[in-house]
Amino acid sequence: MLAFVLTNFIEDAWAILWSYYPRALGRPVPETATTIGILVSLVSAVLAWRNKRWFKFISEVATEVSQVTWPTRAETRAATLVVIVLTIVCSIILAIMDLFWSNVTDWLYSL
């Protein structure tokens, strides 16, 4: 998982830097970002494995993650729908409040 996250982060960072400094950095190559991400994650894994405190922490995290009850597809879909509906309702309420207060301030400034 660390390799995946680091690979995507390095690709994104390289693309951002490419837009600012194209000649100094050279063209971004996805294979380079993948290699760097995998190497950094492997070095991190070896360091964590050899350090007793890190190894204990990572073992505890793995144990906790294995105990998580992940939501089903239907539960995820229902929760997503609730978030979308509440976002739309809140947006409508804020738009009405904004319209009201803009009319009130326009009326006050016209006095």
Side-chain angles (χ1 to χ4, degrees):
M1 185 168 24
L2 183 61
F4 175 76
V5 170
L6 286 173
T7 300
N8 287 328
F9 173 75
I10 292 168
E11 285 178 3
D12 292 343
W14 198 305
I16 290 169
L17 290 174
W18 169 256
S19 65
Y20 291 116
Y21 307 106
R23 292 189 182 150
L25 292 174
R27 187 163 205 93
V29 180
E31 294 82 18
T32 304
T34 303
T35 304
I36 292 171
I38 290 172
L39 287 175
V40 169
S41 64
L42 286 174
V43 168
S44 300
V46 168
L47 289 175
W49 188 271
R50 297 185 78 195
N51 188 331
K52 290 181 182 180
R53 196 175 70 179
W54 286 7
F55 184 75
K56 181 181 175 191
F57 173 73
I58 290 173
S59 298
E60 290 173 358
V61 168
T63 303
E64 290 296 323
V65 169
S66 69
Q67 295 174 359
V68 172
T69 304
W70 298 101
T72 62
R73 182 175 286 247
E75 291 171 339
T76 304
R77 189 176 299 128
T80 303
L81 184 64
V82 167
V83 168
I84 291 170
V85 168
L86 284 176
T87 301
I88 291 170
V89 168
C90 288
S91 298
I92 291 171
I93 291 171
L94 286 173
I96 291 170
M97 290 173 62
D98 182 50
L99 183 64
F100 171 74
W101 284 112
S102 67
N103 286 335
V104 168
T105 54
D106 287 344
W107 176 74
L108 284 174
Y109 287 138
S110 66
L111 292 178

